[in-house]
């Protein structure tokens, strides 16, 4: 099958990414170029590698392989930041369940509920919508917030039940879900985390050492403050990494498409003028001329519409990519413009071949074995947090609403800590809006 309108596709992609690159580079300067916050090197060192590559564009060069190398470095740094996020979320779960021990809840109707009233509210919340997708999402939310009082054997059995729906599914789908579950169980700890984010490593250490059973109010308040601070730092880091990755993706598209694109000389000169001005501002700290940016207003949206109109379907590009270099170029461009900023560009080694039940059982057995090793030596409260995170990420493993009711009722009945149940209900009501 011969690709149609290749020149139009390349032109639309180039103009779209060129305009977005100019606008986002200015935004990147506003966020990262004017101030040096505490602990910024874990992200800023990657940003410093981007500027020379952009200068290559302005000189008419295309250092694409270097740009790919930087892109992979940003992916790895984001994986490390995400691993820290997973860790802090697990400990946040633990602190939330301890809240009633140290912070008076007040005398509200919700705090005086019986388990029967709690069960009735939860089932109403789950079933009040008629959309099955929303029902399943709410079941997962409830499972993630309910008190967990499961033996490891029962927990591993539920993991197996949840994963059973993947029998016969493509291997890539199975691997994606296993990756998610490993992340929730804190089994995905990328190499170099401590070196990449020493400040976060230092902030995480007290949570790992804490004795949650014997915790004092002073220790609880200190960890709560540290949790808040860590959340703010992680939000800054991940936001900066996402913006940098968008810049890299757009520069990749420009490099990939520029040779085959048809651009007006005046348009490209105007875009390069903006990019030069921002680059100089990074060096001098000068204010940018807003008139330069005003000239680009509305252009990104127009070019985006053109790209969506002319772009080829991904399945066609994947079919043609092995024998047609233009199709491979357009495949990469489509991935870079897909909206999934950190998507791998290389084809996956595993793909559509189905995973039979025996192979699935083997993979799940490996996963639960690693979980058992990861749980060993951890506080029981932390293990409960990890179990809740894993169960809430699984496909819904209940066969009927009666099974959901039995599970919810069992969780409430097996928890003797009224303060913990009150906190769980408060969190559920907040999530329910």
């Amino acid at each position: 099958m011969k690709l149609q309108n290749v020149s139009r596709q390349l032109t639309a992609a180039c103009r779209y990414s060129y305009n977005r690159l100019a606008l986002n580079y200015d935004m990147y300067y506003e966020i990262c170029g004017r101030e040096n916050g505490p602990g910024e090197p874990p992200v800023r060192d990657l940003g410093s590698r981007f500027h020379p590559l952009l200068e290559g564009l302005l000189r008419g060069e295309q250092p694409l392989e270097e740009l790919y190398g930087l892109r992979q470095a940003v992916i790895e740094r984001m994986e490390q930041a995400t691993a820290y996020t997973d860790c802090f979320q697990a400990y946040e779960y633990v602190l939330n369940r301890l809240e009633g021990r140290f912070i008076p809840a007040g005398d509200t109707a919700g705090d005086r509920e019986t388990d029967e009233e709690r069960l009735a509210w939860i089932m109403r919340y789950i079933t009040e919508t008629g959309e099955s997708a929303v029902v399943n999402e709410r079941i997962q939310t409830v499972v993630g917030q309910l008190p967990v009082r499961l033996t490891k054997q029962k927990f591993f059995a539920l993991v197996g039940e949840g994963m059973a729906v993947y029998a016969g599914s493509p291997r890539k789908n199975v691997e994606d879900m296993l990756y998610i579950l490993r992340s929730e169980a804190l089994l995905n700890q990328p190499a170099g985390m401590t070196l990449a984010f020493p400040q976060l490593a230092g902030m995480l250490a007290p949570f790992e050492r804490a004795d949650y059973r014997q915790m004092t109010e002073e220790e609880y308040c200190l960890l709560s403050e540290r949790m808040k601070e860590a959340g703010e730092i992680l939000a800054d880091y991940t936001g900066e990494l996402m913006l940098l990755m968008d810049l890299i993706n757009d520069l990749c598209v420009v490099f990939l498409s520029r040779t085959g694109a048809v651009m007006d000389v005046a348009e490209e000169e105007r875009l390069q003028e903006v990019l030069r001005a921002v680059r100089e501002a990074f060096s001098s700290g000068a204010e940018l001329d807003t008139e330069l940016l005003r000239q680009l207003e509305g252009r990104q949206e127009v070019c985006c519409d053109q790209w969506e109109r002319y772009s080829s379907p991904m399945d066609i590009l994947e079919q043609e990519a092995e024998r047609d270099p233009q199709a491979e170029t357009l495949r990469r461009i489509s991935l870079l413009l897909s909206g999934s900023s950190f998507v791998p560009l290389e084809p996956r080694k595993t793909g559509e071949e189905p995973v039979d039940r025996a192979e699935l059982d083997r993979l799940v057995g490996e996963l639960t074995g690693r979980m058992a090793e990861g749980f060993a030596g951890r506080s029981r409260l932390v293990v409960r947090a990890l179990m809740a995170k894993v169960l809430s990420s699984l496909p819904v493993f209940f066969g009927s609403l009666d099974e959901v009711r039995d599970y919810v009722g069992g969780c409430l009945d097996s928890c003797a800590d009224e303060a913990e149940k009150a906190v769980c209900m408060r969190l559920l009501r907040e999530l329910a809006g």
Side-chain angles (χ1 to χ4, degrees):
M1 179 183 296
K2 188 173 179 59
L3 293 174
Q4 302 295 318
N5 300 320
V6 172
S7 178
R8 283 185 175 182
Q9 292 185 61
L10 293 173
T11 299
C14 187
R15 295 181 67 225
Y16 176 33
S17 283
Y18 225 140
N19 277 272
R20 192 166 65 171
L21 175 65
L23 292 170
N24 282 347
Y25 197 36
D26 170 66
M27 185 186 305
Y28 188 61
Y29 173 65
E30 293 297 327
I31 294 174
C32 307
R34 294 180 179 276
E35 55 190 51
N36 291 315
E40 84 282 351
V43 177
R44 299 288 164 85
D45 62 344
L46 296 173
S48 66
R49 292 170 56 185
F50 176 77
H51 304 304
L53 300 175
L54 178 73
E55 291 169 2
L57 171 68
L58 300 178
R59 292 192 300 268
E61 302 168 357
Q62 294 188 352
L64 187 56
E65 291 306 317
E66 292 179 60
L67 190 58
Y68 283 155
L70 176 58
R71 188 176 190 274
Q72 183 58 37
V74 174
I75 289 174
E76 292 170 1
R77 195 64 54 88
M78 179 60 89
E79 288 174 346
Q80 294 164 340
T82 301
Y84 275 110
T85 299
D86 292 334
C87 291
F88 281 109
Q89 285 179 345
Y91 290 114
E92 183 179 33
Y93 179 101
V94 175
L95 292 184
N96 283 340
R97 270 64 192 171
L98 295 178
E99 179 181 313
R101 190 191 302 176
F102 304 110
I103 302 177
D107 186 21
T108 66
D111 298 320
R112 298 193 303 272
E113 283 179 316
T114 65
D115 283 351
E116 290 75 15
E117 291 170 329
R118 291 166 178 148
L119 174 60
W121 184 91
I122 289 173
M123 294 307 298
R124 283 197 304 273
Y125 166 65
I126 289 173
T127 60
E128 66 185 2
T129 174
E131 300 179 29
S132 59
V134 177
V135 169
N136 286 340
E137 182 180 332
R138 291 186 175 186
I139 290 173
Q140 289 175 311
T141 298
V142 168
V143 168
Q145 295 299 329
L146 285 173
V148 176
R149 297 294 187 274
L150 299 172
T151 64
K152 292 178 184 177
Q153 289 73 21
K154 177 60 176 176
F155 166 72
F156 294 147
L158 291 177
V159 172
E161 290 176 24
M163 287 298 297
V165 300
Y166 281 95
S169 296
R171 180 170 292 273
K172 64 180 182 180
N173 295 356
V174 176
E175 290 183 350
D176 287 345
M177 177 51 66
L178 291 173
Y179 180 86
I180 290 171
L181 298 182
R182 288 195 301 269
S183 296
E184 298 291 19
L186 304 188
L187 299 177
N188 289 336
Q189 303 291 293
M193 284 177 60
T194 301
L195 290 175
F197 294 97
Q199 183 182 16
L200 289 174
M203 298 177 75
L204 183 62
F207 291 91
E208 297 173 330
R209 295 193 303 262
D211 182 352
Y212 295 99
R213 287 287 182 186
Q214 305 298 323
M215 182 168 287
T216 66
E217 182 175 355
E218 181 181 4
E219 291 170 330
Y220 172 83
C221 292
L222 181 62
L223 287 181
S224 296
E225 284 300 313
R226 183 155 294 189
M227 179 68 67
K228 180 180 178 182
E229 183 182 355
E232 293 172 351
I233 291 172
L234 274 165
D236 289 342
Y237 284 166
T238 55
E240 198 168 318
L241 284 169
M242 290 180 70
L243 182 52
L244 177 58
M245 183 58 100
D246 287 341
L247 290 172
I248 291 170
N249 287 343
D250 281 324
L251 188 54
C252 282
V253 172
V254 174
F255 285 162
L256 286 166
S257 61
R258 183 64 194 92
T259 302
V262 179
M263 284 190 69
D264 181 77
V265 173
E267 179 183 15
E268 185 165 19
E269 288 179 348
R270 184 165 58 248
L271 290 165
Q272 292 204 355
E273 185 181 7
V274 173
L275 292 171
R276 283 194 182 90
V278 178
R279 178 66 190 104
E280 291 171 4
F282 268 102
S283 299
S284 66
E287 290 288 337
L288 288 169
D289 182 356
T290 57
E291 184 60 33
L292 285 175
L293 296 171
R294 193 171 295 118
Q295 298 175 31
L296 306 183
E297 289 181 357
R299 301 307 305 160
Q300 176 180 320
E301 291 74 16
V302 172
C303 297
C304 179
D305 290 342
Q306 291 175 342
W307 165 249
E308 292 178 350
R309 188 181 316 133
Y310 296 130
S311 59
S312 297
M314 180 58 77
D315 57 344
I316 293 177
L317 296 176
E318 289 176 341
Q319 292 171 15
E320 298 292 318
E322 288 188 7
R323 55 180 175 271
D324 185 346
Q326 287 185 322
E328 170 60 15
T329 296
L330 288 171
R331 184 190 70 84
R332 290 186 174 236
I333 288 173
S334 294
L335 288 172
L336 290 162
L337 295 179
S338 66
S340 181
S341 299
F342 294 83
V343 63
L345 301 183
E346 298 300 329
R348 293 177 61 155
K349 294 180 180 179
T350 57
E352 299 299 329
E353 66 275 14
V355 174
D356 61 26
R357 185 55 188 262
E359 174 66 3
L360 180 65
D361 288 345
R362 185 187 70 79
L363 292 170
V364 172
E366 288 181 356
L367 172 67
T368 55
R370 288 192 60 192
M371 286 181 178
E373 293 174 0
F375 292 168
R378 289 190 183 273
S379 162
R380 183 181 300 177
L381 296 179
V382 176
V383 172
R384 288 173 180 171
L386 301 184
M387 287 181 174
K389 284 163 60 63
V390 168
L391 293 176
S392 67
S393 296
L394 280 167
V396 172
F397 45 82
F398 304 106
S400 67
L401 286 175
D402 286 339
E403 290 185 15
V404 176
R405 181 184 295 274
D406 290 343
Y407 179 85
V408 173
C411 289
L412 294 171
D413 185 60
S414 61
C415 177
D417 189 337
E418 288 296 319
E420 180 180 351
K421 287 190 281 193
V423 168
C424 291
M425 293 303 297
R426 176 176 60 77
L427 292 171
L428 277 172
R429 286 188 166 93
E430 289 176 359
L431 291 170

